[in-house]
Amino acid sequence: MKAHILLICGFVCLATLLCAVENPALPSLRLEEKPSFHLMGKSLRDNRDPGVLLMLWLDFFKTASIVPKPIPGVEYGLYAYGDGLSPTTDQQVIYLAGYEVPSLNIKPSLLNATTIPAAKYAVFEHVGSFTNILGTIDSIFSTWLPAHNLTPAAQFYFERYDEDSKIESESTVIEIWVPVELKNSN
């Protein structure tokens, strides 16, 4: 009888592990400190629709050559949302598609720019196409941060794409960086 119970428990644990590995909505997590840095690119307001954001990226790439001294090999999609709003809101959100730059001393008039403050980040990996990223982002804020006793520490988060990111590939990895702090245990 004990052997059957142990065998059943083993199967349950294995099934749980396999579901977690196969489910792309369950991103991996690491914590990382990042110093402040600057972003420059094109932005839009009040929209998280992946199709609209993809069009913004295409528009940005048409003018990307005017970005002064971009850091090679990495691109960023920054979400900044209004004070007191949910990180997954479509209201009062600004999305910036762009490059990291060493300074904001020179900013062409066609572009927007911002400085991202130094922070401690929870870094999640979204595996799959860009068109499915909102499900991962929603699960980060609704499930993963609370499960790890973390809360957003600022009104922004960003996607980080490297040279291996292919936005329509089901095997691409897109990092999602959320500034975090431990929840108050009161």
Side-chain angles (χ1 to χ4, degrees):
M1 184 69 164
K2 284 184 180 181
H4 287 128
I5 292 173
L6 288 175
L7 187 59
I8 291 170
C9 289
F11 280 124
V12 169
C13 290
L14 181 60
T16 302
L17 178 63
L18 288 175
C19 285
V21 168
E22 292 176 0
N23 187 345
L26 300 175
S28 63
L29 162 72
R30 74 178 189 272
L31 294 176
E32 193 166 316
E33 300 271 342
K34 184 165 177 60
S36 68
F37 64 103
H38 310 291
L39 293 180
M40 190 174 294
K42 292 247 180 164
S43 65
L44 59 76
R45 291 181 88 52
D46 298 334
N47 203 316
R48 286 191 332 139
D49 179 280
V52 173
L53 298 181
L54 181 57
M55 295 306 294
L56 176 69
W57 277 103
L58 294 174
D59 186 41
F60 167 66
F61 289 136
K62 290 177 189 174
T63 58
S65 63
I66 66 173
V67 175
K69 301 179 184 176
I71 307 298
V74 66
E75 299 158 356
Y76 291 87
L78 171 68
Y79 295 88
Y81 51 96
D83 218 10
L85 294 175
S86 165
T88 58
T89 187
D90 287 338
Q91 300 173 351
Q92 298 180 32
V93 65
I94 297 172
Y95 183 86
L96 182 136
Y99 294 143
E100 181 177 354
V101 293
S103 78
L104 299 180
N105 292 338
I106 302 169
K107 185 186 82 60
S109 61
L110 293 174
L111 301 177
N112 304 99
T114 190
T115 299
I116 306 299
K120 181 177 195 171
Y121 290 91
V123 182
F124 299 87
E125 290 183 350
H126 166 78
V127 178
S129 98
F130 175 76
T131 57
N132 300 326
I133 200 166
L134 291 182
T136 301
I137 290 171
D138 291 347
S139 71
I140 286 169
F141 289 101
S142 66
T143 304
W144 281 85
L145 290 180
H148 290 89
N149 201 34
L150 298 170
T151 188
Q155 305 308 121
F156 71 88
Y157 56 96
F158 59 84
E159 305 152 347
R160 184 183 182 281
Y161 302 86
D162 65 19
E163 58 272 349
D164 294 327
S165 298
K166 294 170 182 50
I167 62 170
E168 290 304 317
S169 171
E170 291 301 321
S171 62
T172 200
V173 176
I174 302 167
E175 292 183 341
I176 301 166
W177 291 59
V178 180
V180 294
E181 59 192 8
L182 283 174
K183 280 185 185 176
N184 191 349
S185 58
N186 292 340

PDB file of all heavy atoms in Angstrom, residues 77-92:
ATOM      1  N   GLY A  77      11.690  47.330 -25.238  1.00  0.00           N
ATOM      2  CA  GLY A  77      10.306  47.777 -25.299  1.00  0.00           C
ATOM      3  C   GLY A  77       9.906  48.172 -23.893  1.00  0.00           C
ATOM      4  O   GLY A  77       9.785  47.318 -23.013  1.00  0.00           O
ATOM      5  N   LEU A  78       9.741  49.462 -23.648  1.00  0.00           N
ATOM      6  CA  LEU A  78       9.463  49.987 -22.313  1.00  0.00           C
ATOM      7  C   LEU A  78       7.980  50.287 -22.159  1.00  0.00           C
ATOM      8  O   LEU A  78       7.389  50.968 -22.996  1.00  0.00           O
ATOM      9  CB  LEU A  78      10.261  51.282 -22.096  1.00  0.00           C
ATOM     10  CG  LEU A  78       9.942  52.095 -20.839  1.00  0.00           C
ATOM     11  CD1 LEU A  78      10.383  51.349 -19.584  1.00  0.00           C
ATOM     12  CD2 LEU A  78      10.587  53.464 -20.921  1.00  0.00           C
ATOM     13  N   TYR A  79       7.370  49.767 -21.086  1.00  0.00           N
ATOM     14  CA  TYR A  79       5.998  50.088 -20.709  1.00  0.00           C
ATOM     15  C   TYR A  79       6.064  50.995 -19.483  1.00  0.00           C
ATOM     16  O   TYR A  79       6.632  50.608 -18.463  1.00  0.00           O
ATOM     17  CB  TYR A  79       5.217  48.842 -20.286  1.00  0.00           C
ATOM     18  CG  TYR A  79       4.993  47.808 -21.359  1.00  0.00           C
ATOM     19  CD1 TYR A  79       5.924  46.804 -21.607  1.00  0.00           C
ATOM     20  CD2 TYR A  79       3.813  47.812 -22.098  1.00  0.00           C
ATOM     21  CE1 TYR A  79       5.692  45.836 -22.565  1.00  0.00           C
ATOM     22  CE2 TYR A  79       3.575  46.840 -23.057  1.00  0.00           C
ATOM     23  CZ  TYR A  79       4.521  45.860 -23.283  1.00  0.00           C
ATOM     24  OH  TYR A  79       4.289  44.907 -24.234  1.00  0.00           O
ATOM     25  N   ALA A  80       5.478  52.169 -19.560  1.00  0.00           N
ATOM     26  CA  ALA A  80       5.375  53.065 -18.403  1.00  0.00           C
ATOM     27  C   ALA A  80       3.892  53.348 -18.213  1.00  0.00           C
ATOM     28  O   ALA A  80       3.197  53.719 -19.156  1.00  0.00           O
ATOM     29  CB  ALA A  80       6.144  54.356 -18.653  1.00  0.00           C
ATOM     30  N   TYR A  81       3.396  53.144 -17.001  1.00  0.00           N
ATOM     31  CA  TYR A  81       1.964  53.292 -16.753  1.00  0.00           C
ATOM     32  C   TYR A  81       1.714  54.287 -15.634  1.00  0.00           C
ATOM     33  O   TYR A  81       2.573  54.551 -14.806  1.00  0.00           O
ATOM     34  CB  TYR A  81       1.309  51.938 -16.451  1.00  0.00           C
ATOM     35  CG  TYR A  81       2.000  51.135 -15.369  1.00  0.00           C
ATOM     36  CD1 TYR A  81       1.554  51.189 -14.050  1.00  0.00           C
ATOM     37  CD2 TYR A  81       3.082  50.318 -15.660  1.00  0.00           C
ATOM     38  CE1 TYR A  81       2.175  50.452 -13.057  1.00  0.00           C
ATOM     39  CE2 TYR A  81       3.710  49.576 -14.677  1.00  0.00           C
ATOM     40  CZ  TYR A  81       3.255  49.652 -13.375  1.00  0.00           C
ATOM     41  OH  TYR A  81       3.868  48.935 -12.385  1.00  0.00           O
ATOM     42  N   GLY A  82       0.521  54.853 -15.635  1.00  0.00           N
ATOM     43  CA  GLY A  82       0.150  55.909 -14.701  1.00  0.00           C
ATOM     44  C   GLY A  82       0.148  55.473 -13.249  1.00  0.00           C
ATOM     45  O   GLY A  82      -0.078  54.309 -12.923  1.00  0.00           O
ATOM     46  N   ASP A  83       0.394  56.435 -12.391  1.00  0.00           N
ATOM     47  CA  ASP A  83       0.414  56.220 -10.947  1.00  0.00           C
ATOM     48  C   ASP A  83      -0.911  55.630 -10.472  1.00  0.00           C
ATOM     49  O   ASP A  83      -1.980  56.100 -10.844  1.00  0.00           O
ATOM     50  CB  ASP A  83       0.649  57.569 -10.255  1.00  0.00           C
ATOM     51  CG  ASP A  83       1.536  57.437  -9.040  1.00  0.00           C
ATOM     52  OD1 ASP A  83       2.123  56.365  -8.837  1.00  0.00           O
ATOM     53  OD2 ASP A  83       1.637  58.426  -8.301  1.00  0.00           O
ATOM     54  N   GLY A  84      -0.841  54.579  -9.666  1.00  0.00           N
ATOM     55  CA  GLY A  84      -2.028  53.964  -9.103  1.00  0.00           C
ATOM     56  C   GLY A  84      -2.757  53.025 -10.047  1.00  0.00           C
ATOM     57  O   GLY A  84      -3.774  52.445  -9.686  1.00  0.00           O
ATOM     58  N   LEU A  85      -2.255  52.856 -11.267  1.00  0.00           N
ATOM     59  CA  LEU A  85      -2.891  51.956 -12.228  1.00  0.00           C
ATOM     60  C   LEU A  85      -2.209  50.592 -12.220  1.00  0.00           C
ATOM     61  O   LEU A  85      -1.054  50.453 -11.811  1.00  0.00           O
ATOM     62  CB  LEU A  85      -2.832  52.550 -13.634  1.00  0.00           C
ATOM     63  CG  LEU A  85      -3.643  53.820 -13.855  1.00  0.00           C
ATOM     64  CD1 LEU A  85      -3.401  54.366 -15.250  1.00  0.00           C
ATOM     65  CD2 LEU A  85      -5.119  53.557 -13.635  1.00  0.00           C
ATOM     66  N   SER A  86      -2.919  49.605 -12.709  1.00  0.00           N
ATOM     67  CA  SER A  86      -2.372  48.259 -12.836  1.00  0.00           C
ATOM     68  C   SER A  86      -1.276  48.249 -13.906  1.00  0.00           C
ATOM     69  O   SER A  86      -1.404  48.923 -14.931  1.00  0.00           O
ATOM     70  CB  SER A  86      -3.486  47.294 -13.242  1.00  0.00           C
ATOM     71  OG  SER A  86      -2.956  46.074 -13.710  1.00  0.00           O
ATOM     72  N   PRO A  87      -0.219  47.460 -13.710  1.00  0.00           N
ATOM     73  CA  PRO A  87       0.834  47.358 -14.729  1.00  0.00           C
ATOM     74  C   PRO A  87       0.326  46.787 -16.054  1.00  0.00           C
ATOM     75  O   PRO A  87       0.972  46.932 -17.076  1.00  0.00           O
ATOM     76  CB  PRO A  87       1.860  46.415 -14.109  1.00  0.00           C
ATOM     77  CG  PRO A  87       1.529  46.341 -12.677  1.00  0.00           C
ATOM     78  CD  PRO A  87       0.085  46.706 -12.511  1.00  0.00           C
ATOM     79  N   THR A  88      -0.833  46.153 -16.035  1.00  0.00           N
ATOM     80  CA  THR A  88      -1.372  45.546 -17.251  1.00  0.00           C
ATOM     81  C   THR A  88      -2.494  46.383 -17.872  1.00  0.00           C
ATOM     82  O   THR A  88      -3.222  45.907 -18.733  1.00  0.00           O
ATOM     83  CB  THR A  88      -1.873  44.120 -16.962  1.00  0.00           C
ATOM     84  OG1 THR A  88      -2.864  44.173 -15.940  1.00  0.00           O
ATOM     85  CG2 THR A  88      -0.721  43.231 -16.515  1.00  0.00           C
ATOM     86  N   THR A  89      -2.592  47.629 -17.462  1.00  0.00           N
ATOM     87  CA  THR A  89      -3.625  48.512 -17.991  1.00  0.00           C
ATOM     88  C   THR A  89      -3.343  48.929 -19.429  1.00  0.00           C
ATOM     89  O   THR A  89      -2.197  48.894 -19.871  1.00  0.00           O
ATOM     90  CB  THR A  89      -3.769  49.777 -17.117  1.00  0.00           C
ATOM     91  OG1 THR A  89      -4.890  50.537 -17.582  1.00  0.00           O
ATOM     92  CG2 THR A  89      -2.528  50.644 -17.174  1.00  0.00           C
ATOM     93  N   ASP A  90      -4.393  49.328 -20.125  1.00  0.00           N
ATOM     94  CA  ASP A  90      -4.236  49.930 -21.445  1.00  0.00           C
ATOM     95  C   ASP A  90      -4.439  51.436 -21.366  1.00  0.00           C
ATOM     96  O   ASP A  90      -4.346  52.127 -22.368  1.00  0.00           O
ATOM     97  CB  ASP A  90      -5.255  49.351 -22.436  1.00  0.00           C
ATOM     98  CG  ASP A  90      -4.909  47.927 -22.853  1.00  0.00           C
ATOM     99  OD1 ASP A  90      -3.735  47.538 -22.731  1.00  0.00           O
ATOM    100  OD2 ASP A  90      -5.814  47.209 -23.292  1.00  0.00           O
ATOM    101  N   GLN A  91      -4.726  51.952 -20.175  1.00  0.00           N
ATOM    102  CA  GLN A  91      -4.963  53.384 -19.990  1.00  0.00           C
ATOM    103  C   GLN A  91      -3.720  54.032 -19.409  1.00  0.00           C
ATOM    104  O   GLN A  91      -3.066  53.467 -18.550  1.00  0.00           O
ATOM    105  CB  GLN A  91      -6.135  53.616 -19.041  1.00  0.00           C
ATOM    106  CG  GLN A  91      -7.429  53.013 -19.526  1.00  0.00           C
ATOM    107  CD  GLN A  91      -8.519  53.115 -18.472  1.00  0.00           C
ATOM    108  OE1 GLN A  91      -8.276  53.481 -17.337  1.00  0.00           O
ATOM    109  NE2 GLN A  91      -9.730  52.785 -18.876  1.00  0.00           N
ATOM    110  N   GLN A  92      -3.440  55.221 -19.879  1.00  0.00           N
ATOM    111  CA  GLN A  92      -2.301  55.993 -19.396  1.00  0.00           C
ATOM    112  C   GLN A  92      -0.999  55.196 -19.430  1.00  0.00           C
ATOM    113  O   GLN A  92      -0.167  55.283 -18.538  1.00  0.00           O
ATOM    114  CB  GLN A  92      -2.569  56.521 -17.988  1.00  0.00           C
ATOM    115  CG  GLN A  92      -3.742  57.469 -17.918  1.00  0.00           C
ATOM    116  CD  GLN A  92      -3.963  57.975 -16.508  1.00  0.00           C
ATOM    117  OE1 GLN A  92      -3.033  58.124 -15.738  1.00  0.00           O
ATOM    118  NE2 GLN A  92      -5.208  58.246 -16.179  1.00  0.00           N
TER     119      GLN A  92
END
